[in-house]
Amino acid sequence: MKITLPDTTIGNAAVQQVDVGQVKLGPARIGKLSLRGTQLRARMGAAQLRNVRVALTLTFSLKWTAGLVIDAGSLGQIDLTQSGTMDLGKLELGVGLGHVDLPGLADLKLDMADFSVADLEVVVGALKKLKLGAVLAERVKAQGLVTPTQGFQLDGLGLVGASVQGATVDSASLDKVSIARVSGGSVPLAKLTVPGLAFPQVQVPSVTCQKFGSTSEPLVTPLPEADVGVLRAQLTVTTTARFDVDELRLDGIQASASVAEVSLKNVELPFELLDLSLSQIGIERIAVPEMKVS
């Protein structure tokens, strides 16, 4: 025999505790991420370059032209002009500046322009052992319920069939419901805006950067040309600077950041629930319009 409940209405169902073993999210797809009004502030107790050295390399070259033109009458003009460039060597100078303080880094404030990034894919880690507390479900309906699926038998009772209409149960309770897995869903969000996002202040006692330097691009400086008639000459100086620092030291750093608004558009967040438990379920007023036993 089987019991068929075509339509069942549950007034309220109160669940005292909802436990989720694991929520697997993502990867989330974001159509557009926009940041507006981003500010970064940093304050430092001291900023110093230690053992600063500057090396200058001056390379000299002389470009010359010597010219003599002779008028040979019927033979025309004879041009005896020659030119070339002479390498005059180089001069290297080294300057030690010692320790250099950087007062300009004591208080920094950076205001970033608004910017947007399109078509992002974000991997979100799983959320484990969530306890959601009490929840209330209202106007729960169940249709087409047949129990048990394999039927049942009452020995010694001759009952061919029965029908009950308009049955009402005032209350019922259920200790626990366990669900191993809920999958296949996703949460679409057309637009999500987070206003006034502020990051707490971070304090770092000291930051150091060891042994760094850089070399400038060569600077070519031609000096005024000297012209003595048959001879023209011009001296050119090519300057290269090398900057070396043993250590950059930042002490007493205090940094904070804020974003006026974070805007997400066209977000799709797939999810999967594992090990879902509903405990101490109290059901108020179960209405069964019709119940058939066959």
Side-chain angles (χ1 to χ4, degrees), residues 188-210:
L189 300 174
K191 183 177 181 180
L192 176 63
T193 301
V194 182
L197 182 61
F199 298 93
Q201 189 178 77
V202 178
Q203 296 184 358
V204 181
S206 179
V207 174
T208 60
C209 179
Q210 303 288 337

Side-chain angles (χ1 to χ4, degrees), residues 25-33 117-124 186-192 264-271:
L25 302 174
R29 297 187 180 275
I30 303 174
K32 185 177 182 180
L33 168 64
V117 181
D119 298 329
L120 294 177
E121 183 173 305
V122 181
V123 177
V124 183
S186 62
V187 179
L189 300 174
K191 183 177 181 180
L192 176 63
L264 305 176
K265 292 184 178 181
N266 300 326
V267 180
E268 182 177 347
L269 182 61
F271 69 91

